[in-house]
Amino acid sequence: MAEDSGLPNVPVPEAEIAPKRRLPISVVWFIPLLAALAGVGVAVQQYLAEGPAIQISFRSGEGVEAGKTTIKYKDIEIGQVTGVRLSEDYTRILVTAKMEKSVEKLLGSDAKFWIVKPRVTLSGISGIGTLLSGNFIRFEPGTSRVPGREFTGLETPPAVTQDLPGREYRLRADTLGSLGVGSPVYYRRLSVGQVISSALAPDGRSVEIRIFLNAPYDKFVSSGTRFWEASGVDVTAGVDGFTVQTESFLSLVIGGIAFETPPSLEGYHPVPDNAVFLLAADRTAALSPQEGEADPYALHFDEQLRGLSVGAPVNFMGLQVGEVTGIRLEFDPATESVGTRVDIVAFPYRFLRDMKKAGPYAKKELPPGKRRELMQRQVVGKGLRAQLRSGSLLSGQLYVALDYFPDAPQAMIDWSGKPPRFPTVPGETTVLRATLSSILAKIDNVPITEIGKETKEAIASLDRTLRLLEGETLPEAKKSFATLDRTLSRVDSEIVPEARKALEELRRASAAAERALKDADEMLLAPDAAGRQELLDALRETARAAQAVRLLADSLERNPSAVIRGRKPEKPR
Amino acid sequence: MTRPPPTAALAGFVSCGTCGLLCRPAEAGKPGECPRCGEPLAFRLPESIERTWAYVVAAAVCYLPANLLPVMTTTTIKATTESTILSGVIHFYTTGSWFLALIVLVASVIIPLGKLGALAYLLVTVMRRSTGRPLERARLFRMLKAIGRWSMLDVFVVMFVVALVRFEPFMSVVPGPGVPFFAAVVILTILAADAFDPRLIWDPAGKTGGTGG
């Protein structure tokens, strides 16, 4: 065999045998078994760790990217978007996401999802991570125990995240102003909340702003709380110079809302969540009494309306309680005549707020029926009437004054009219004019001519008498004295009371004029004002009349014999 | 029929795998131990085919998770991304680095798979005592052995990246669970190649009673 193999014939050592225990299968098969076990173990682990897959639909998938966008809850990543695609009808974006196993129980059917966009405002950057990672989807668990896998994403973030204590309120404003989502809400210059959202009211006539106040500051909101926009600078010029007020520099730039409860309205009436408040333009407006509803009334004046304009104030004791909303002609079918009609609105709460506070209406909105009753009582019982008054002699502007005229004839509000008809009294200028003309008429009526004629006769007769007296008898003189006596008594009984009456009228006219002037209070007289001209004319007439009377009185006083002898140039004696 | 080429087994000798001593086997079935160094003697590597099969199966089992599980978890401020080998390939390809993509694809996907396939082929042919193309098969085996030591490249790359990219909290890279599986595939294929006795390829050609099994 050695030769066969061609090996050199060398001594080849013999191998030794050691006893060996052999297994039926090679141990090496443990290795694939181990590998399989490891693989299966990892697979099982992966499977168990696998969270639920969900689908969320959004109107827009702004910034949502598969594999990048995360789903966060309390700023912790709890899922990741795995796919973004259009819905079948191409109207929405369907986002599929894989959630973590641990949040499976939170995925109730009413869970909320919304896209958080990075927001950089002057008040702060909301998460620098947001800037880099782009938008993410925020998750807010619902209360439902029914598990959900398909959700509809919210377009705007929900008002309140459940874990944040506080309350939400709604504010109604004319315009949004410079407010935006995130604008701070101040209470005593402390930032206590923020604007959550803003939207146009359904009727398009106002803007509804939702704010959220963090607990515990929400408890400072009660039914008497006033909100105002703190965005602007409030510059007030007063006796002590200029005062500039603003909530903070920040609110100046990004807008803000402040609120306060006036001390007079304190008393804690808690308001429900979502209570609606009015948002005033500034603090002054907010803290001034609220107008509540406006009651329209119609006024009918039998006088010139020149100088009355739409928007003119309706005053009560010098305070504005309403305004003129319309002036027009109106045909009255009953009398077949054209008259004027002035429409006003009055804010009855300015009258009735305190009435409401006291008595049975406290804490309750006054029902319209009760308000009518109260208004009627004011009108009928106390003589409340509307009157046209001259607001300014300068411009001839008129305004409507509500005032008490206890002497005015009884009148009722005509509730049948639409709007109700409010009783009026003639304006002061009308009264003044009427008084002045009656004075002039009375002066006219003084029988100066007759007095003069009779005086002349008397003088002639006296002359004759004197002549007779010179040469003739005493009886003549006696007769003549009797005539003089008669004449003088006539002067006594006719001229003096007449003159006194005239003076009295004059005094009253002056008083009326003075009142009219007082109404014009701070106004300066301008030469071209219509009312002024009329008044000046009237005054001039009065002055002339007064002068005539004074002359008469003067000459009578200085020279009573003028009654007898007539007016002669006085000769020095 | 030509004479078969002489081999030690054919001559009735067995050589020690460790010290190279040529011995006479104690018995035909049980060669015994080397009288010089005590190494167990065998005409062919003991249980070569069975052990190779075992390693191949184990490697194949590990190959699946190695490719499905992420090998790298990259955390940046922006996001956390887990990348598997294939997603890396796709990433390179879509970003334009097709050459890199090709390298990774070849090194990490095709070569391990090719090794498994080649080993299986060799095993099947040896078991069937096939006599065809022994030279090519021998070359294939040499290639498997040669590639083996370079196959850990991916694992090393991952380890280097993990070690180097640590700018926490801005960025960090953490090896994923795919890495040990990938390493297992590499190690198991190397072990499989080691367990395979290339002499088995030639045995059928020599028609000798080589007792490889």
Side-chain angles (χ1 to χ4, degrees):
Chain A
M1 218 164 147
E3 300 94 300
D4 286 352
S5 59
L7 282 170
N9 201 357
V10 288
V12 176
E14 190 92 3
E16 295 153 8
I17 286 189
K20 203 174 176 188
R21 193 169 54 92
R22 286 199 60 163
L23 288 171
I25 319 169
S26 174
V27 190
V28 82
W29 283 106
F30 279 109
I31 292 168
L33 198 68
L34 209 67
L37 277 179
V40 168
V42 168
V44 168
Q45 196 191 335
Q46 283 290 89
Y47 176 78
L48 289 180
E50 190 90 322
I54 57 162
Q55 187 175 31
I56 319 161
S57 84
F58 287 105
R59 200 186 297 158
S60 134
E62 189 188 338
V64 176
E65 253 178 284
K68 286 214 176 120
T69 308
T70 54
I71 296 174
K72 291 185 175 179
Y73 173 53
K74 291 178 187 286
D75 283 331
I76 296 294
E77 192 179 321
I78 56 156
Q80 187 155 41
V81 171
T82 53
V84 181
R85 64 188 167 89
L86 275 173
S87 65
E88 276 78 18
D89 56 358
Y90 308 116
T91 57
R92 294 182 75 83
I93 300 293
L94 298 179
V95 173
T96 48
K98 181 138 283 180
M99 303 298 283
E100 268 182 28
K101 181 91 175 163
S102 54
V103 297
E104 195 163 16
K105 279 184 187 151
L106 294 176
L107 289 169
S109 57
D110 60 345
K112 297 177 196 121
F113 293 88
W114 67 97
I115 298 175
V116 177
K117 289 155 192 158
R119 204 161 57 82
V120 184
T121 60
L122 284 165
S123 61
I125 299 165
S126 51
I128 196 156
T130 323
L131 264 182
L132 289 165
S133 66
N135 299 353
F136 62 87
I137 295 172
R138 202 184 275 283
F139 162 75
E140 187 68 38
T143 50
S144 168
R145 296 246 167 258
V146 185
R149 289 296 176 262
E150 287 191 14
F151 303 93
T152 305
L154 306 175
E155 300 308 323
T156 49
V160 192
T161 49
Q162 277 181 346
D163 52 335
L164 192 63
R167 268 165 186 269
E168 194 190 330
Y169 299 102
R170 288 184 294 163
L171 304 178
R172 191 153 290 152
D174 287 343
T175 63
L176 187 57
S178 55
L179 296 172
V181 173
S183 289
V185 178
Y186 295 98
Y187 180 67
R188 303 192 183 281
R189 302 210 180 171
L190 185 69
S191 178
V192 296
Q194 58 174 321
V195 173
I196 295 165
S197 75
S198 56
L200 203 61
D203 60 0
R205 297 177 69 172
S206 60
V207 176
E208 194 175 282
I209 299 163
R210 292 194 299 161
I211 60 168
F212 182 80
L213 296 184
N214 302 328
Y217 307 109
D218 57 333
K219 72 175 179 214
F220 299 120
V221 174
S222 66
S223 51
T225 301
R226 304 274 195 265
F227 288 84
W228 69 90
E229 213 183 313
S231 319
V233 191
D234 196 4
V235 182
T236 358
V239 281
D240 49 353
F242 286 93
T243 317
V244 181
Q245 260 202 331
T246 177
E247 282 301 319
S248 76
F249 178 72
L250 189 67
S251 71
L252 195 65
V253 182
I254 63 165
I257 290 173
F259 69 90
E260 193 176 318
T261 306
S264 63
L265 294 172
E266 260 167 22
Y268 187 57
H269 301 302
V271 283
D273 269 349
N274 278 320
V276 180
F277 291 91
L278 288 176
L279 181 65
D282 52 46
R283 186 171 186 271
T284 320
L287 297 184
S288 67
Q290 294 201 339
E291 287 165 3
E293 292 162 64
D295 276 353
Y297 291 104
L299 309 175
H300 294 254
F301 291 107
D302 293 328
E303 56 195 289
Q304 278 221 19
L305 295 183
R306 197 158 64 95
L308 188 68
S309 56
V310 172
V314 175
N315 281 8
F316 176 71
M317 313 279 272
L319 295 174
Q320 188 172 350
V321 293
E323 64 178 42
V324 172
T325 56
I327 304 163
R328 59 190 169 107
L329 291 173
E330 193 177 58
F331 180 71
D332 184 359
T335 58
E336 290 200 335
S337 63
V338 175
T340 55
R341 172 174 147 185
V342 177
D343 289 319
I344 62 164
V345 285
F347 302 114
Y349 280 99
R350 294 202 178 166
F351 287 95
L352 306 176
R353 212 157 45 85
D354 290 342
M355 274 185 240
K356 186 178 71 167
K357 215 185 265 175
Y361 308 117
K363 296 181 198 175
K364 265 189 275 177
E365 281 293 294
L366 210 55
K370 283 288 165 200
R371 207 159 74 209
R372 280 189 175 191
E373 193 187 293
L374 286 167
M375 206 71 190
Q376 189 71 275
R377 209 184 298 158
Q378 295 286 315
V379 169
V380 178
K382 307 211 168 112
L384 188 70
R385 300 286 185 274
Q387 190 187 40
L388 276 183
R389 283 188 193 163
S390 174
S392 142
L393 290 178
L394 178 76
S395 57
Q397 290 295 314
L398 296 180
Y399 69 93
V400 177
L402 298 183
D403 216 338
Y404 289 113
F405 296 91
D407 302 335
Q410 288 285 306
M412 305 276 276
I413 298 177
D414 181 6
W415 295 107
S416 66
K418 278 189 180 180
R421 197 172 152 163
F422 201 86
T424 61
V425 291
E428 278 187 349
T429 46
T430 319
V431 173
L432 181 62
R433 204 177 291 136
T435 315
L436 287 175
S437 38
S438 82
I439 294 168
L440 293 175
K442 273 173 186 149
I443 291 171
D444 269 350
N445 287 344
V446 177
I448 305 273
T449 334
E450 274 174 51
I451 293 171
K453 210 185 274 168
E454 287 199 15
T455 312
K456 211 191 261 170
E457 267 173 31
I459 288 166
S461 153
L462 183 65
D463 198 36
R464 260 196 322 276
T465 315
L466 284 174
R467 219 176 281 144
L468 279 174
L469 199 65
E470 269 173 29
E472 304 275 331
T473 59
L474 208 74
E476 277 302 329
K478 213 183 261 172
K479 197 173 143 197
S480 185
F481 274 121
T483 315
L484 180 64
D485 191 38
R486 204 175 61 231
T487 315
L488 284 175
S489 75
R490 193 179 165 135
V491 169
D492 238 0
S493 64
E494 283 186 20
I495 298 177
V496 172
E498 208 72 59
R500 191 181 295 141
K501 216 152 110 197
L503 281 170
E504 199 129 313
E505 296 276 12
L506 181 64
R507 198 165 54 234
R508 235 180 300 162
S510 310
E514 199 176 2
R515 234 189 3 256
L517 281 168
K518 225 173 246 170
D519 275 341
D521 45 30
E522 75 278 4
M523 300 300 170
L524 292 170
L525 293 173
D528 57 346
R532 187 229 180 208
Q533 202 54 48
E534 279 167 18
L535 184 68
L536 278 186
D537 288 342
L539 286 173
R540 207 171 288 141
E541 289 294 331
T542 317
R544 210 176 291 154
Q547 204 176 7
V549 175
R550 196 170 58 237
L551 277 175
L552 175 66
D554 265 0
S555 72
L556 284 179
E557 188 188 30
R558 211 182 304 130
N559 206 353
S561 62
V563 177
I564 304 158
R565 272 187 263 127
R567 270 174 71 198
K568 277 180 187 165
E570 281 175 34
K571 289 171 205 161
R573 286 183 190 160
Chain B
M1 196 175 160
T2 53
R3 257 170 76 141
T7 64
L10 210 63
F13 294 120
V14 60
S15 74
C16 174
T18 309
C19 62
L21 182 73
L22 192 68
C23 320
R24 230 178 266 284
E27 288 170 36
K30 294 177 181 173
E33 280 94 34
C34 172
R36 189 163 63 180
C37 67
E39 175 80 10
L41 293 172
F43 290 100
R44 297 291 175 260
L45 287 183
E47 304 163 352
S48 173
I49 293 177
E50 190 185 358
R51 285 170 67 177
T52 310
W53 266 125
Y55 286 128
V56 168
V57 168
V61 166
C62 290
Y63 184 77
L64 222 64
N67 275 289
L68 292 179
L69 294 178
V71 288
M72 232 160 58
T73 306
T74 316
T75 310
T76 61
I77 286 176
K78 216 175 143 189
T80 298
T81 40
E82 294 186 326
S83 41
T84 61
I85 291 169
L86 271 176
S87 81
V89 171
I90 292 167
H91 174 76
F92 281 132
Y93 183 73
T94 50
T95 51
S97 314
W98 63 267
F99 186 69
L100 270 178
L102 196 70
I103 289 179
V104 175
L105 186 72
V106 168
S108 307
V109 182
I110 294 177
I111 286 183
L113 201 64
K115 276 166 85 176
L116 288 177
L119 280 167
Y121 167 72
L122 289 176
L123 284 168
V124 167
T125 51
V126 163
M127 283 172 86
R128 291 178 63 193
R129 306 192 65 78
S130 167
T131 52
R133 297 175 171 274
L135 194 60
E136 281 81 1
R137 282 189 277 151
R139 281 185 187 145
L140 181 67
F141 178 73
R142 280 200 294 276
M143 213 159 77
L144 286 183
K145 292 279 273 190
I147 289 172
R149 70 191 63 146
W150 299 104
S151 300
M152 281 298 216
L153 217 60
D154 299 70
V155 179
F156 282 131
V157 166
V158 170
M159 290 308 157
F160 270 124
V161 170
V162 167
L164 291 175
V165 186
R166 286 224 170 224
F167 307 126
E168 285 184 79
F170 301 107
M171 191 179 180
S172 68
V173 176
V174 175
V179 174
F181 280 99
F182 190 84
V185 170
V186 174
I187 291 166
L188 287 171
T189 50
I190 291 171
L191 287 176
D194 277 349
F196 185 75
D197 195 338
R199 287 174 293 186
L200 292 172
I201 297 168
W202 300 100
D203 281 346
K207 288 198 192 315
T208 54
T211 54

